[in-house]
């Protein structure tokens, strides 16, 4: 039985037994959040987790058609992978901050007269810090993509990273003359368009995780797709520019939520093993 039918079945069994979610999780030794997401059909739990829940509910796993559970969703996470996934959302916070600083400073540079020396003083260390943050941030996405066999997201990550390099390189051609000149406008249009492409592709990749990670992945993916389209059209690029930071914050929360979900699944499965 697949989701969301599995979650509905567990909900019906719990109600039939007169148990609240809190009472059920106490007997299963898992947390309320896990039961909530299973019953809502937002996650595909492993067979061991389902077995311990069904045993408490007085149901046989075979009667729920164990053979129909999607075994490809059985994910084994190593401690190294979980640590990298945990670091990715932390670096996502710094990535959001430095991106905001970069946007504000480049706007300032294009509207004020600043010497080429001071432009380099800011841009060179900025680019170094930028990639120190964006690499571990994207590594979290790469781990998730590999675990769930999301080839589109893997390709999107490399494209997104390549675009980040291109954007960083292109900014060095933007000079400060005390006004926005033709060169600045041309480069700005180019940067917004390729940024939009990156957002669109990443959004499509993240959207592909909705079957594995639920509605959070779906919302995050759709938001990035919409923002990418707005940037590409150029007409709505001010809106897309304004939404960059909120979307990065959303992605940070998404990575953090994914880390907690994956960590919880290991803890719960280990508990199920010990109770077998």
């Amino acid at each position: 039985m697949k989701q969301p039918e599995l979650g509905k079945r567990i909900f019906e069994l719990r109600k039939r037994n007169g148990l609240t979610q809190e009472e059920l999780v106490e007997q299963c030794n898992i947390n309320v959040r896990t039961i909530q997401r299973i019953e809502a059909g937002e996650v595909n739990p492993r067979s061991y987790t389902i077995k311990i829940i069904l045993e408490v509910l007085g149901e046989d796993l075979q009667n729920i058609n164990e053979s129909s559970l999607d075994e490809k969703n059985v994910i084994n996470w190593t401690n190294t992978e979980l640590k990298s996934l945990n670091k990715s959302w932390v670096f996502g916070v710094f990535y959001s901050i430095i991106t905001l600083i970069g946007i504000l400073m480049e706007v300032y540079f294009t509207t004020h007269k600043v010497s080429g020396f001071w432009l380099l003083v800011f841009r060179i260390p900025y680019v170094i810090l930028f990639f120190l943050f964006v690499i571990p941030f994207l590594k979290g996405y790469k781990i998730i993509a590999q675990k769930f066999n999301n080839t589109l997201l893997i390709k999107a990550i490399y494209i997104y990273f390549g675009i980040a390099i291109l954007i960083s390189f292109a900014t060095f051609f933007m000079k400060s003359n005390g006004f926005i000149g033709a060169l600045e406008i041309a480069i700005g249009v180019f940067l917004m368009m390729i940024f939009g492409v990156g957002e669109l592709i990443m959004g499509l990749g993240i959207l592909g995780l909705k079957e594995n990670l639920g509605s959070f992945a779906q919302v995050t993916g759709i938001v990035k797709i919409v923002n990418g389209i707005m940037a590409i059209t150029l007409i709505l690029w001010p809106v897309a520019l304004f939404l960059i930071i909120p979307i990065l914050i959303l992605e940070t929360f998404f990575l953090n939520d994914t880390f907690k979900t994956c960590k919880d699944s290991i803890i719960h499965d280990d508990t199920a093993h010990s109770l077998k």
Side-chain angles (χ1 to χ4, degrees):
M1 184 179 293
K2 298 180 180 180
Q3 289 286 33
E5 289 77 18
L6 176 61
K8 293 178 180 177
R9 180 59 176 161
I10 290 176
F11 171 80
E12 293 170 356
L13 289 171
R14 179 172 61 79
K15 288 295 184 181
R16 190 181 69 183
N17 284 271
L19 296 174
T20 64
Q21 289 181 334
E22 289 75 12
E23 291 170 336
L24 177 59
V25 298
E26 287 181 3
Q27 298 185 50
C28 296
N29 196 23
I30 57 180
N31 60 41
V32 175
R33 180 170 172 272
T34 300
I35 291 295
Q36 290 173 339
R37 299 190 71 177
I38 291 175
E39 290 189 353
E42 294 181 350
V43 294
N44 289 299
R46 296 179 64 178
S47 59
Y48 292 116
T49 303
I50 294 301
K51 182 176 181 180
I52 195 64
I53 293 174
L54 294 178
E55 286 178 352
V56 171
L57 294 174
E59 183 62 87
D60 194 307
L61 184 59
Q62 291 183 350
N63 294 336
I64 305 296
N65 194 11
E66 179 185 19
S67 61
S68 67
L69 288 174
D70 193 356
E71 294 299 330
K72 71 179 181 179
N73 289 323
V74 176
I75 305 297
N76 294 314
W77 294 86
T78 66
N79 289 331
T80 300
E81 289 169 339
L82 284 176
K83 287 180 180 178
S84 296
L85 189 57
N86 189 29
K87 289 179 181 179
S88 69
W89 76 263
V90 175
F91 277 98
V93 175
F94 294 111
Y95 177 41
S96 302
I97 294 173
I98 198 168
T99 299
L100 176 60
I101 293 174
I103 292 173
L104 294 177
M105 290 304 295
E106 290 302 330
V107 170
Y108 177 83
F109 291 151
T110 55
T111 56
H112 294 75
K113 188 174 181 61
V114 180
S115 68
F117 171 77
W118 290 111
L119 289 178
L120 292 177
V121 167
F122 170 78
R123 285 172 176 167
I124 292 177
Y126 174 84
V127 168
I128 294 174
L129 287 174
F130 176 84
F131 284 103
L132 285 177
F133 296 147
V134 74
I135 290 175
F137 172 72
L138 291 177
K139 185 177 180 180
Y141 273 122
K142 184 178 180 181
I143 292 173
I144 295 171
Q146 291 173 334
K147 284 296 181 179
F148 294 110
N149 296 319
N150 189 325
T151 55
L152 175 60
L153 182 56
I154 293 175
K155 293 178 180 178
I157 291 168
Y158 285 112
I159 294 173
Y160 188 91
F161 185 70
I163 290 175
I165 295 176
L166 187 58
I167 291 176
S168 300
F169 179 75
T171 56
F172 282 92
F173 290 92
M174 297 184 69
K175 301 178 181 179
S176 174
N177 299 313
F179 61 90
I180 301 178
L183 177 62
E184 284 72 23
I185 293 176
I187 294 178
V189 169
F190 170 71
L191 295 183
M192 286 304 301
M193 289 189 67
I194 63 171
F195 163 77
V197 172
E199 283 284 274
L200 177 60
I201 296 175
M202 277 293 292
L204 290 171
I206 296 172
L207 184 61
L209 295 170
K210 65 179 181 179
E211 294 183 1
N212 306 104
L213 299 176
S215 58
F216 208 157
Q218 183 176 15
V219 172
T220 304
I222 291 175
V223 170
K224 285 185 73 67
I225 291 171
V226 172
N227 200 49
I229 293 174
M230 288 192 297
I232 293 173
T233 60
L234 298 179
I235 298 175
L236 296 174
W237 76 263
V239 179
L241 184 64
F242 175 80
L243 291 176
I244 289 176
I245 304 304
I247 291 175
L248 282 177
I249 294 174
L250 175 64
E251 291 184 77
T252 299
F253 278 106
F254 168 66
L255 288 171
N256 176 258
D257 182 75
T258 301
F259 163 72
K260 290 180 178 178
T261 300
C262 297
K263 182 180 179 182
D264 287 346
S265 69
I266 288 182
I267 294 174
H268 300 155
D269 290 334
D270 287 345
T271 300
H273 275 296
S274 65
L275 294 176
K276 285 183 65 181

